[in-house]
Amino acid sequence: MQELTPYQKDAIGRVTHIRQDVMNFQNDWPRLNTAELLPPITWGELERQLTSLSVSPTGAAMVRDLVEATRKQAPFKPSELVLREILCIASAVMDETFLSDSDSSSPDLDGVDLID
């Protein structure tokens, strides 16, 4: 058997982490038997609204990366978990104490699971 590359090992680790998050979420929040759906919205519209709701330029600058990370993982998660992650993003960017503009360091979002 051929040894896995570091990239393959990282990918397996990420998939395992997402799968565990989904299983934990489904244990805590079993699917409801309701059929009433939310109105459709695009990722671009979501990003625009979250940027508008941001209380600081730093929060607004984070929105694109946060929405993109959520969008990439959304197909692998229950819709309610994706909604929860969107609400967490909204809460963070609307929180005046989350990041201050005086913080000169920009958070490194690459490879970070932002929402557990």
Side-chain angles (χ1 to χ4, degrees):
M1 177 181 253
Q2 189 175 22
E3 174 109 9
L4 296 174
T5 67
Y7 176 79
Q8 290 169 322
K9 289 178 184 178
D10 182 55
I12 291 170
R14 288 176 190 242
V15 168
T16 302
H17 182 76
I18 290 173
R19 184 172 183 211
Q20 187 61 50
D21 281 350
V22 168
M23 289 175 21
N24 290 341
F25 182 84
Q26 289 173 330
N27 282 337
D28 291 344
W29 302 97
R31 191 163 189 80
L32 295 174
N33 292 327
T34 59
E36 194 172 342
L37 299 175
L38 292 171
I41 184 170
T42 67
W43 290 102
E45 291 167 337
L46 174 64
E47 182 179 325
R48 179 173 59 187
Q49 292 304 312
L50 290 171
T51 300
S52 173
L53 291 170
S54 296
V55 294
S56 70
T58 303
M62 291 175 36
V63 168
R64 171 167 273 145
D65 290 332
L66 294 170
V67 169
E68 182 64 12
T70 304
R71 184 192 64 76
K72 285 180 179 178
Q73 293 183 0
F76 309 106
K77 295 182 176 184
S79 57
E80 189 177 4
L81 178 53
V82 175
L83 173 61
R84 184 181 183 96
E85 292 177 356
I86 291 167
L87 293 172
C88 289
I89 293 169
S91 175
V93 301
M94 293 173 66
D95 181 356
E96 293 174 352
T97 64
F98 182 66
L99 287 176
S100 71
D101 286 335
S102 62
D103 182 10
S104 61
S105 63
S106 168
D108 180 12
L109 300 176
D110 291 336
V112 175
D113 188 12
L114 300 169
I115 303 168
D116 288 324

